[in-house]
Amino acid sequence: MKRRYFIKLSAKSTITAWAGSSVLLHACHTEEDMIGKPNWIVEGSFDTPLIIPQKVSGITSLVAQMSSAKILNGNGSATMAYGNGTLGPTIEAQRGETLNIHLQNNLVDHTNIHWHGLVLPADMDGHPEDLTIPGGSFEYQLPIHQRAGTYWYHPHPHKATAQQVFMGMAGMFLVKDEEESALNLPTGEFEIPMIIQDKRFMGSSMVYMPSDEEIMTGYLGETILVNGIHAPFSSVETRWYRLRLLNGSTARVYQLGFSNQLPFYLIGTDGGLLEVPEKLKSIMLAPGERADVLINFKDLPVGSEIFLESYKFSEFNPQGRQGFKIMKFRIEKVSTDSFLLPLKLSTITKLSSSPATKVRMLDISKLVGGIGSHGSGSRHGINGMTFDNDYSAFSVEKGSTEIWEFDNLMGDEIHPMHIHGVQFQILKRTGGRNQVFAFERGWKDTVLIMPGEKVSVIMTFPSYVGKFVFHCHNLEHEDDGMMLNYTIV
Ligand code: C2O
Ligand code: CU
Ligand code: CU
């Protein structure tokens, strides 16, 4: 693939999207690349009921296949899914069990499954070069040793992850445990999993065809889906609900909040429950991140409607220049519940550094020339390198604690960074927004680093030795090479 880059050194080209970010080091984008072409969201009519993906547990078989779904304009679109239609079932597991999941690949392409957020043996993690051939199958054995939480799964074949996820391959993976059950959180119809994704359509067909510029900014769609439904609604009662929010978009960041500014309570992030609920009016969610939220509709009159929206959050970036509605909640019925918001949810042991803690600098701010077999042309990389399966950037010792610093101080793109094989805690963010937000507490596996920011995370590696990856979860960037191997020894 050939990329075009333009040099334009005008005063204006040094505008950056975020306060605190400094002058651009590389003037490799035009203003239009940087600011992006408007890609305005088309909201839809909010009259299609939300669909909740089917739940499965125990021995499960997932068939990766081409399928079709009616998403826009009544006509079908080709999709890729685990089963029929779009997306896949919600997998439910109990902490302590080992899950057997059979993947049957009926696609014409290689695929695999990565269990995003789960800490698993290297050969079960869905490494980008561990692939199942068309017509082949693979038995995943997943020992679940971690906290209850909202995890997810998706394909991870190098250079094809974005396309396969975009075309519909993804699902929720919920882990339950006793600590969580003791809280009596809303469940059954009062617990709503929501996979939020933006898609681009031509007519009624989803199309994934990023241009060179869109590999920079991310492939932003004009149509927002929840669980594969455009502009859905859900009928709710005047009581507590639990919303499990997942940003399953390839590149779009959302600033989620309600149309009437109704506050909600964040009870969990990527790696499960927080220590205490956080009362919020909005939360920023980057691709790959999850938010476990409680909301009480009790003060809303029957017949009223509120929307989950994404608020505008930036003037300059193609992301965030428009606020838009995502989904409607229609208050349909009075009901009472006895649920009381717990004061304490869980205990999180804070990881602390010692002078001996290894600190790794990871420069995510610069485009790099390809290496080795990758050919020429600038691409997204980390520390000047792009993904090469034969190369492991460094080794870490099992059981050791390290700090990784993702440095985007000089960068002008949005990078949600994700590490496989481990859950981390965010220590600090300098530059840009200059803080760790309440919605970034607890255990995380993905963290958003805006242009002009540097974020430090701390983690203790598990004893699963082998090769894992870390990468940008902007899937256009990831497929472009913004991913490296690291090895646990
Ligand atoms: Cu959800 Cu390696 O990614
Ligand atoms: Cu992952
Ligand atoms: Cu990125």
Side-chain angles (χ1 to χ4, degrees):
M1 203 184 300
K2 196 148 179 297
R3 304 278 155 68
R4 291 164 299 139
Y5 295 99
F6 306 99
I7 310 277
K8 193 177 175 200
L9 293 164
S10 70
K12 272 194 194 154
S13 70
T14 60
I15 302 169
T16 47
W18 295 86
S21 66
S22 31
V23 172
L24 293 177
L25 258 198
H26 55 284
C28 57
H29 302 188
T30 61
E31 285 157 43
E32 183 144 88
D33 286 343
M34 272 177 50
I35 293 175
K37 299 182 191 89
N39 189 255
W40 302 117
I41 303 292
V42 182
E43 275 180 349
S45 51
F46 300 98
D47 52 13
T48 311
L50 182 74
I51 283 179
I52 307 296
Q54 178 207 353
K55 276 188 187 172
V56 297
S57 52
I59 298 169
T60 299
S61 177
L62 295 175
V63 181
Q65 61 183 21
M66 295 293 297
S67 186
S68 68
K70 279 188 187 167
I71 302 172
L72 266 197
N73 305 332
N75 288 314
S77 170
T79 59
M80 292 164 98
Y82 297 105
N84 292 318
T86 181
L87 301 170
T90 298
I91 299 172
E92 269 195 4
Q94 199 66 35
R95 180 179 193 162
E97 80 172 307
T98 294
L99 235 67
N100 291 294
I101 299 179
H102 172 87
L103 168 66
Q104 173 64 41
N105 181 9
N106 288 351
L107 297 169
V108 293
D109 302 306
H110 289 66
T111 195
N112 66 358
I113 303 179
H114 170 58
W115 315 93
H116 183 130
L118 297 184
V119 175
L120 297 168
D123 57 347
M124 293 295 144
D125 189 55
H127 185 277
E129 301 281 351
D130 261 351
L131 300 173
T132 299
I133 59 167
S137 63
F138 188 83
E139 307 300 327
Y140 287 96
Q141 264 204 353
L142 314 178
I144 308 296
H145 291 307
Q146 64 198 90
R147 308 173 79 226
T150 310
Y151 306 98
W152 65 300
Y153 62 97
H154 62 79
H156 217 303
H158 186 40
K159 292 185 191 289
T161 297
Q163 187 211 13
Q164 292 188 6
V165 172
F166 182 92
M167 291 307 290
M169 297 175 76
M172 288 259 184
F173 195 115
L174 306 180
V175 174
K176 311 255 170 184
D177 67 11
E178 278 161 22
E179 179 187 45
E180 191 199 70
S181 313
L183 296 173
N184 287 312
L185 300 170
T187 182
E189 62 178 297
F190 308 114
E191 177 184 3
I192 308 180
M194 294 171 61
I195 303 178
I196 303 170
Q197 298 176 304
D198 62 334
K199 307 287 181 191
R200 197 176 298 178
F201 283 85
M202 267 169 64
S204 59
S205 297
M206 286 199 293
V207 281
Y208 186 73
M209 278 193 330
S211 66
D212 294 348
E213 286 78 10
E214 285 162 342
I215 291 169
M216 297 289 135
T217 57
Y219 190 66
L220 301 177
E222 72 297 318
T223 303
I224 310 291
L225 310 185
V226 182
N227 298 345
I229 308 288
H230 179 217
F233 78 92
S234 192
S235 296
V236 294
E237 304 176 6
T238 54
R239 52 159 289 151
W240 285 98
Y241 280 77
R242 181 182 191 183
L243 309 180
R244 306 258 207 169
L245 306 170
L246 157 66
N247 182 351
S249 310
T250 66
R252 188 180 283 281
V253 175
Y254 302 87
Q255 176 81 38
L256 299 173
F258 289 91
S259 49
N260 60 354
Q261 308 280 314
L262 186 65
F264 54 86
Y265 296 86
L266 181 74
I267 58 165
T269 50
D270 299 346
L273 293 170
L274 297 174
E275 295 213 283
V276 294
E278 294 284 349
K279 186 176 183 181
L280 298 171
K281 283 194 171 163
S282 74
I283 178 175
M284 187 171 263
L285 212 61
E289 288 187 304
R290 288 86 70 206
D292 195 347
V293 157
L294 293 178
I295 181 150
N296 197 346
F297 296 123
K298 78 168 171 24
D299 292 328
L300 298 174
V302 167
S304 62
E305 301 177 340
I306 65 168
F307 290 90
L308 177 70
E309 301 186 342
S310 182
Y311 301 153
K312 179 173 174 166
F313 62 86
S314 169
E315 285 299 333
F316 301 107
N317 205 287
Q319 306 235 24
R321 288 163 77 200
Q322 184 190 9
F324 49 86
K325 298 184 175 78
I326 295 173
M327 173 172 164
K328 183 165 85 178
F329 293 93
R330 210 152 72 186
I331 318 301
E332 209 117 295
K333 188 170 147 201
V334 176
S335 75
T336 44
D337 58 358
S338 53
F339 177 71
L340 287 175
L341 186 69
L343 293 174
K344 169 110 181 148
L345 299 164
S346 183
T347 307
I348 291 175
T349 317
K350 239 184 152 186
L351 294 181
S352 59
S353 57
S354 78
T357 309
K358 174 99 191 151
V359 180
R360 294 187 196 274
M361 308 290 191
L362 300 160
D363 184 352
I364 57 169
S365 70
K366 293 183 196 71
L367 292 166
V368 297
I371 53 164
S373 57
H374 296 309
S376 60
S378 294
R379 298 173 51 191
H380 291 85
I382 303 170
N383 279 355
M385 290 175 289
T386 54
F387 184 70
D388 180 342
N389 189 42
D390 298 327
Y391 176 76
S392 176
F394 45 81
S395 295
V396 304
E397 255 170 74
K398 61 180 181 189
S400 69
T401 298
E402 294 198 355
I403 294 172
W404 290 11
E405 294 190 349
F406 295 108
D407 184 344
N408 198 21
L409 288 171
M410 296 298 178
D412 57 6
E413 289 176 11
I414 295 174
H415 301 298
M417 297 304 296
H418 169 52
I419 310 176
H420 284 214
V422 74
Q423 288 277 337
F424 55 72
Q425 293 172 3
I426 304 176
L427 283 180
K428 63 171 186 245
R429 174 183 283 110
T430 49
R433 296 172 293 162
N434 220 347
Q435 60 182 301
V436 177
F437 292 94
F439 54 80
E440 296 176 306
R441 300 217 176 107
W443 292 102
K444 295 279 293 165
D445 53 53
T446 307
V447 58
L448 179 58
I449 302 130
M450 284 291 186
E453 294 182 354
K454 181 162 99 176
V455 173
S456 307
V457 303
I458 186 167
M459 66 216 126
T460 299
F461 294 95
S463 51
Y464 291 130
V465 297
K467 195 163 74 171
F468 294 88
V469 290
F470 64 102
H471 59 86
C472 183
H473 220 287
N474 172 318
L475 300 182
E476 283 75 46
H477 294 180
E478 175 188 332
D479 281 348
D480 193 39
M482 195 169 182
M483 170 164 73
L484 295 177
N485 284 311
Y486 77 98
T487 309
I488 301 181
V489 295

